[in-house]
């Protein structure tokens, strides 16, 4: 009998967990992702702030699954699903909309940034979702110091050295704390014309407190910690405007050349591909066994799925995606092996953590809450444990110890294609083209 074909779209937390759960199943599994790597997103902010290099938090999906003989990894972008014909359409470097059929389909395509209807902000305020985004933000932060050092007019230093982070959730809090530590310790002795410690960091959010998903006391502790690091926290007002000169918040302009978007996200178009019911944000509403209504062979897991538990929507966090991916894999395995169905999916919440600067984190699990150094150690241990490969665990651990002891960071390189590097270079290229065309 022919083996069933299982297509998994997305090699993030959900898709990878599903693939691993299916490792012993007699089936042909295809994992399709538009990038060749799995990213440990909770540490993206450390790449953006130069602590770690991209290769320390990302691994080739092919390498992670190299011992899983039943699984083929395909680099390609899924553009649609035909539920009737049971196939997905995939585009790659030289082919468009190639159809790949399935018996079971798991969609784990995550989210992307949302500028809440202001897509024009994106040009001036990059968001943080991928390794490429992290490198863009790293360039932006490091470039600001270089530009200020090169600038003779001290009056311009202030604007060049003003950083604005829009969104005071975990990413905004972690990144603003990390920038504060960067400027007050790592960069301290390296500049001659400017004092990096004079840089200003604003964290802006329309919410009344930072770290909305955490309890009020932890949120207060995080805000106090940020303020002690010199971060100016502006709450209760969203940004009205973001442009090349900075942001406008509650009618006040904050001049800045380095604005970073750490606010909203929007789900992948999986709901549109499937043309099924979604929640208000566009996440696919799934049944209690994570399948799509009337299509028991289609599963949607992770950030792009909407499921309520005890009357509340499950959060868009890695643990939900991992547990859902694992559940979908196990359920498919039981169906293939003609075993009884699983109980409905139930998320086991292991808690929330966020780092605020050096040696300080907030931790909340059930009714237990703590903040400070012990919470930071717990945060470090948990994050090391969940990195995709043991080589990364060793490398990140060594880097963290080194950074903790010496304040030196792992990757402070401004990496751009030479065409992007300066207007001068671009002008030269344009001149070169004009000359050669004569
Ligand atoms: C900066 C940041 C910090 C975070 N910090 C934390 C944290 O501290 N703790 C926590 O629990 N969670 C955190 N999260 C959230 C967590 O990373 C997500 O909840 C989790 O990644 C969701 O897993 P997923 O599998 O649904 O999606 P992802 O892990 O995002 O994976 C989606 C995959 O699908 C691929 N893909 C998307 N569209 C297509 C397509 N059309 N075709 C092919 N492939 C496609 C993508 O390339 C990607 O590999 C953070 C997220 C970010 C962005």
């Amino acid at each position: 009998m022919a083996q069933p074909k299982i297509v998994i779209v997305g090699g993030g937390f959900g898709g990878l967990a599903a693939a691993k759960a299916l490792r012993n199943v007699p089936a042909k599994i295809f994992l399709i992702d538009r990038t060749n790597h799995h990213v440990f997103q909770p540490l993206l902010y450390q790449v953006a702030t130069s602590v770690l290099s991209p290769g320390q938090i990302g691994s080739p999906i092919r390498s992670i699954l190299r011992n899983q003989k039943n699984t083929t990894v395909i680099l390609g972008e899924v553009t649609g699903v035909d539920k009737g014909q049971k196939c997905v359409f995939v585009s790659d470097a030289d082919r468009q909309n190639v159809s790949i059929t399935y018996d079971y389909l798991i969609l784990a395509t995550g989210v992307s940034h949302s500028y809440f209807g202001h897509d024009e902000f994106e040009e001036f305020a990059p968001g943080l979702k991928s390794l490429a985004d992290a490198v863009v933000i790293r360039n932006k932060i490091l470039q600001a110091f270089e530009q200020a050092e090169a600038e003779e007019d001290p009056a311009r230093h202030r604007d060049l050295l003003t950083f604005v982070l829009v969104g005071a959730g975990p990413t905004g809090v972690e990144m603003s704390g990390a920038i504060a530590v960067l400027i007050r310790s790592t960069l301290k002795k390296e500049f001659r014309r400017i004092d990096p410690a004079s840089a200003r960091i604003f964290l802006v959010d329309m919410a009344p407190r930072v770290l909305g998903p955490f309890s009020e006391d932890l949120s207060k502790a995080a805000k106090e910690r940020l303020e002690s690091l010199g971060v100016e926290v502006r709450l209760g007002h969203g940004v009205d405007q973001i442009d090349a000169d900075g942001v406008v918040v509650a009618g006040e302009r904050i001049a800045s050349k380095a604005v970073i978007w750490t606010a909203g996200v929007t789900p992948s178009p999986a709901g549109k591909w499937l043309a099924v019911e979604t929640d208000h944000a566009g996440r696919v509403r799934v049944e209690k066994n994570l399948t799509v209504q009337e299509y028991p062979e289609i599963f949607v897991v992770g950030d792009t799925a909407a499921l309520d538990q005890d009357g509340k929507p499950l959060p868009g966090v890695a643990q939900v995606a991992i547990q859902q991916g694992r559940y979908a894999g196990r359920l498919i395995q039981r169906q293939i092996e003609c075993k009884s169905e699983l109980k409905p999916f139930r998320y086991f919440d292991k808690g929330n953590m966020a780092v605020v600067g050096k040696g300080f984190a907030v931790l909340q699990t059930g009714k237990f809450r703590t903040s400070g150094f012990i919470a930071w150690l717990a945060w470090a241990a948990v994050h090391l444990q969940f990195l995709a490969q043991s080589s990364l665990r060793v490398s990140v651990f060594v880097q963290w110890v080194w950074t903790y002891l010496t304040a030196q960071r792992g990757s402070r390189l401004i990496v751009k294609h030479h065409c992007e590097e300066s207007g001068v270079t671009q002008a030269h290229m344009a001149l070169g083209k004009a000359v050669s065309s004569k």
Side-chain angles (χ1 to χ4, degrees):
M1 208 176 76
Q3 289 189 335
K5 205 167 154 189
I6 305 167
V7 171
I8 302 171
V9 187
F13 285 107
L16 208 51
K20 287 181 179 172
L22 288 161
R23 64 187 169 280
N24 297 321
V25 177
K28 286 186 182 147
I29 302 163
F30 291 84
L31 190 152
I32 307 168
D33 200 297
R34 61 185 174 194
T35 69
N36 81 331
H37 50 267
H38 167 82
V39 183
F40 190 77
Q41 292 174 20
L43 292 179
L44 271 175
Y45 85 94
Q46 296 214 348
V47 174
T49 53
S50 303
V51 178
L52 299 173
S53 64
Q56 287 176 296
I57 66 159
S59 310
I61 299 169
R62 192 172 294 295
S63 156
I64 298 171
L65 297 175
R66 65 187 178 280
N67 294 327
Q68 197 164 314
K69 296 278 183 270
N70 62 357
T71 305
T72 304
V73 177
I74 293 181
L75 177 64
E77 170 135 23
V78 168
T79 53
V81 177
D82 184 333
K83 295 175 294 186
Q85 298 296 318
K86 292 195 184 175
C87 66
V88 298
F89 300 105
V90 187
S91 296
D92 60 28
D94 58 3
R95 296 180 311 158
Q96 295 295 308
N97 298 326
V98 176
S99 109
I100 297 184
T101 57
Y102 62 81
D103 296 301
Y104 292 96
L105 173 65
I106 302 176
L107 294 174
T109 38
V111 291
S112 56
H113 320 296
S114 166
Y115 287 83
F116 304 124
H118 288 281
D119 290 350
E120 71 278 10
F121 290 174
E122 186 171 10
E123 187 187 344
F124 310 105
L128 183 61
K129 184 66 194 157
S130 65
L131 282 178
D133 296 336
V135 171
V136 166
I137 292 173
R138 186 181 75 191
N139 287 344
K140 208 174 171 82
I141 294 171
L142 298 176
Q143 183 92 39
F145 290 98
E146 297 302 334
Q147 267 177 270
E149 180 79 343
E151 172 64 60
E152 290 89 357
D153 179 3
R156 289 207 62 228
H157 290 169
R158 188 178 159 92
D159 296 355
L160 287 168
L161 293 181
T162 298
F163 299 89
V164 181
L165 291 100
V166 183
T171 304
V173 166
E174 293 189 323
M175 185 134 57
S176 54
I179 298 175
V181 176
L182 172 78
I183 63 180
R184 301 206 202 301
S185 54
T186 313
L187 301 183
K188 196 163 68 177
K189 295 186 187 153
E190 298 191 5
F191 292 85
R192 302 294 171 258
R193 283 182 173 165
I194 57 161
D195 173 13
S198 67
R200 298 185 314 157
I201 306 162
F202 290 91
L203 181 64
V204 179
D205 201 309
M206 65 193 306
R209 59 189 179 93
V210 304
L211 294 180
F214 289 73
S215 64
E216 277 194 33
D217 51 339
L218 290 183
S219 169
K220 188 163 167 270
K223 180 168 178 276
E224 284 170 5
R225 179 74 179 180
L226 283 174
E227 286 169 344
S228 75
L229 292 168
V231 177
E232 296 181 40
V233 183
R234 300 275 176 95
L235 298 171
H237 295 285
V239 286
D240 305 321
Q241 173 80 23
I242 304 180
D243 55 34
D245 297 320
V247 302
V248 177
V249 184
E252 180 198 351
R253 178 166 278 282
I254 304 174
S256 167
K257 295 288 175 198
V259 183
I260 300 161
W261 186 259
T262 53
V265 289
T266 189
S268 76
K272 291 191 186 125
W273 299 336
L274 297 170
V276 292
E277 190 195 345
T278 60
D279 70 359
H280 65 282
R283 283 182 288 259
V284 176
R285 281 223 172 273
V286 289
E287 304 282 299
K288 293 207 176 316
N289 66 358
L290 311 181
T291 59
V292 172
Q293 200 177 26
E294 293 177 31
Y295 293 90
E297 72 283 8
I298 303 179
F299 296 76
V300 183
V301 302
D303 281 4
T304 213
L307 181 67
D308 290 352
Q309 183 167 300
D310 304 330
K312 284 196 217 143
L314 290 177
V317 294
Q319 271 304 318
V320 171
I322 292 169
Q323 292 177 29
Q324 289 189 335
R326 216 175 268 156
Y327 177 95
R330 284 190 193 140
L331 186 57
I332 292 172
Q333 174 169 22
R334 293 184 81 82
Q335 289 182 359
I336 290 173
E337 292 172 352
C338 300
K339 293 190 176 153
S340 59
E341 292 279 311
L342 288 175
K343 284 187 201 157
F345 173 79
R346 197 159 171 85
Y347 170 54
F348 175 62
D349 185 358
K350 295 181 181 169
N352 274 334
M353 296 181 202
V355 168
V356 196
K358 183 179 173 183
F360 186 99
V362 292
L363 183 161
Q364 168 174 324
T365 168
K367 290 198 173 138
F368 177 75
R369 296 166 203 158
T370 186
S371 60
F373 187 68
I374 299 294
W376 181 75
L377 285 179
W379 172 90
V382 167
H383 282 67
L384 283 175
Q385 186 199 340
F386 279 100
L387 278 165
Q389 289 182 307
S390 39
S391 57
L392 301 186
R393 279 174 222 134
V394 175
S395 152
V396 170
F397 175 72
V398 171
Q399 182 63 56
W400 280 350
V401 172
W402 183 249
T403 301
Y404 190 85
L405 296 176
T406 67
Q408 292 306 308
R409 305 219 163 186
S411 184
R412 268 178 47 208
L413 309 179
I414 299 174
V415 183
K416 290 183 183 175
H417 190 269
H418 70 279
C419 296
E420 297 170 60
E421 251 161 25
S422 72
V424 177
T425 316
Q426 284 180 17
H428 276 139
M429 290 187 63
L431 187 64
K433 273 188 199 151
V435 170
S436 62
S437 65
K438 277 187 184 167

